[in-house]
Amino acid sequence: SQQGEEDPQALSIQEGENATMNCSYKTSINNLQWYRQNSGRGLVHLILIRSNEREKHSGRLRVTLDTSKKSSSLLITASRAADTASYFCAGGGGSNYKLTFGKGTLLTVNP
Amino acid sequence: NAGVTQTPKFQVLKTGQSMTLQCAQDMNHNSMYWYRQDPGMGLRLIYYSASEGTTDKGEVPNGYNVSRLNKREFSLRLESAAPSQTSVYFCASSKSPGLIGDEQFFGPGTRLTVL
């Protein structure tokens, strides 16, 4: 079963705009991670937020976590064409060190 | 450091053929993983190895076997390939078996087509 479900499935914006992607998960987690995947490449870790944190920043990234609603959001500010990629959330928790990935949001940033 | 490397990058098999996908990491990580990625399905865990000498099934293990050869290497074997195994395969690793859901580092992937 998928632990993370991203919304929307696809998002198209203009360069300079902000992009917001949402993630919902079903069971309890220890942390929530966001990854980026450029076309034809492997996933790259962006940011990890622990279950006892509500908000975290890293450069142009802002992640929030609401454990009561089992949801997270990823905000990319001042987007660039190079941000064009698929973004995945992954819930970390349970036994045996596994992450469970959602299906991803395809972000297109138009120059 | 090369990070996580995978070979081959591309492979075409006929139904029934066998092959082994190789993965190696040079980050001294304890845990390693194999995923498959299919359109519209996201990443699904096939097998993982929490530490050297141990392997466990993930979400979709049928038709696959794995070997944790040493701390660096984790291979995935298809004994009798089927068209349903056409996919992109990713290997990943993470640092510590003591941290649940640790950050994972991914290889570039192997694109496999089974005819």
Side-chain angles (χ1 to χ4, degrees), chain A residues 81-98:
Chain A
D83 294 328
T84 294
S86 291
Y87 291 81
F88 294 86
C89 67
S95 62
N96 299 318
Y97 327 110
K98 293 182 286 187

Side-chain angles (χ1 to χ4, degrees), chain B residues 15 17 44 49-50 55 72 75 81-82 90 103:
Chain B
T15 296
Q17 288 185 318
R44 293 182 291 171
S49 172
T55 60
R72 290 187 63 248
S75 63
F90 289 100
E103 170 189 355

Side-chain angles (χ1 to χ4, degrees), chain B residues 18-70:
Chain B
S18 63
M19 78 162 295
T20 299
L21 281 65
Q22 306 286 354
C23 174
Q25 51 89 11
D26 62 0
M27 296 173 282
N28 200 34
H29 283 173
N30 289 290
S31 300
M32 298 185 74
Y33 313 82
W34 277 106
Y35 295 91
R36 61 177 289 173
Q37 185 176 33
D38 302 292
M41 295 296 293
L43 272 79
R44 293 182 291 171
L45 183 65
I46 305 171
Y47 270 94
Y48 66 100
S49 172
S51 60
E52 186 179 357
T54 67
T55 60
D56 286 285
K57 295 179 180 179
E59 185 183 355
V60 288
N62 290 345
Y64 306 95
N65 284 299
V66 291
S67 295
R68 184 75 183 266
L69 304 170
N70 47 56

